[in-house]
Amino acid sequence: MKLVILDRDGVINQDSDAFVKTPDEWIALPGSVQAIARLTQADWTVVVATNQSGLARGLFDMAALNAIHAKLHHEVAQAGGSVDAIFLCPHGPNDGCSCRKPLPGMYHDIARRYDVELAGVPALGDSLRDLQAAAAAGCSPWLTLTGNGRRTLDKGGLPPGTQVCDDLAAFADLLLRDAA
C-alpha cells in the first residue's frame, strides 16, 4: 500500500486563526484537491490527520465538523480523487491526550487501521507539531510552505530529514515522480 498522511488546515485548505468552523469557511488552497486526485489516481491511499481543538473549545460541534469534511470529500471527488479517512484529535491543548500532535497517537491509530508500518510514509504538514508527530511515528516528515509553513521553516528546529516543498501540488508531483 502506498500511504500518504496530510494535515488539513494550511495544507489542503486555508488556515484561520479564528478556526475553520463552517463549510463556508473551508476554502481549498489552489491546486490542493487536484493534487489529492492525482495521488489517488496513482493508487496512493490519502489519509488526513488533523488537530481540531475547536471542538473542545466549543467553537463548533461534531455536526459542523462532519459538514466541513463532507465538503472536503465532495470537492476531492469532483476532482476525481478521494480521501480514504480523516483522523482527528478533538481535544484541547491542555487535555493531556496522546492523539494531539505533536504526539504521535493519531499516526499510531492510522498504522493500526491500515495494518502498516509507518517507516518512510510521507506525512505533509505546515507546523512544527505536524512534523514532530510524523517523525515520532517513523514517517518521513514533509513541510509545505503554505499555511504556517514559511513561519515554521523560519523558526527552525525541524526534525532531521524533513523535506520542504512549496505546496500540496508540488508534494504530489515529487511523490509521483519518485514512484515512476
Side-chain angles (χ1 to χ4, degrees):
M1 166 190 285
K2 295 185 296 186
L3 177 68
V4 62
I5 303 170
L6 306 175
D7 179 47
R8 194 191 81 176
D9 300 330
V11 174
I12 300 171
N13 58 279
Q14 294 177 6
D15 200 357
S16 170
D17 289 336
F19 294 84
V20 176
K21 302 175 291 303
T22 68
D24 287 341
E25 293 175 1
W26 188 91
I27 300 167
L29 289 169
S32 66
V33 295
Q34 295 81 4
I36 294 170
R38 287 187 291 123
L39 287 168
T40 56
Q41 290 165 9
D43 296 322
W44 284 84
T45 299
V46 178
V47 175
V48 173
T50 179
N51 285 347
Q52 290 298 318
S53 68
L55 285 167
R57 298 169 199 252
L59 299 175
F60 51 86
D61 60 16
M62 203 61 206
L65 186 59
N66 286 338
I68 291 165
H69 289 161
K71 181 178 180 182
L72 181 160
H73 283 293
H74 176 76
E75 289 194 18
V76 170
Q78 289 292 103
S82 67
V83 171
D84 197 66
I86 299 175
F87 290 75
L88 64 97
C89 171
H91 305 108
N94 300 318
D95 288 348
C97 67
S98 64
C99 58
R100 184 172 171 78
K101 297 182 274 183
L103 297 176
M106 246 190 296
Y107 292 83
H108 295 302
D109 289 344
I110 292 167
R112 281 190 294 277
R113 162 97 177 261
Y114 290 96
D115 194 25
V116 296
E117 294 293 324
L118 294 180
V121 168
L124 180 67
D126 69 320
S127 71
L128 183 58
R129 68 178 169 256
D130 296 329
L131 305 174
Q132 291 169 328
C139 295
S140 173
W142 284 75
L143 175 67
T144 177
L145 298 180
T146 54
N148 295 308
R150 183 137 331 260
R151 278 192 304 254
T152 301
L153 182 62
D154 290 345
K155 284 182 185 174
L158 305 181
T162 297
Q163 299 180 68
V164 180
C165 59
D166 287 335
D167 56 19
L168 179 50
F171 173 72
D173 289 344
L174 291 167
L175 291 184
L176 295 171
R177 182 199 70 205
D178 290 348

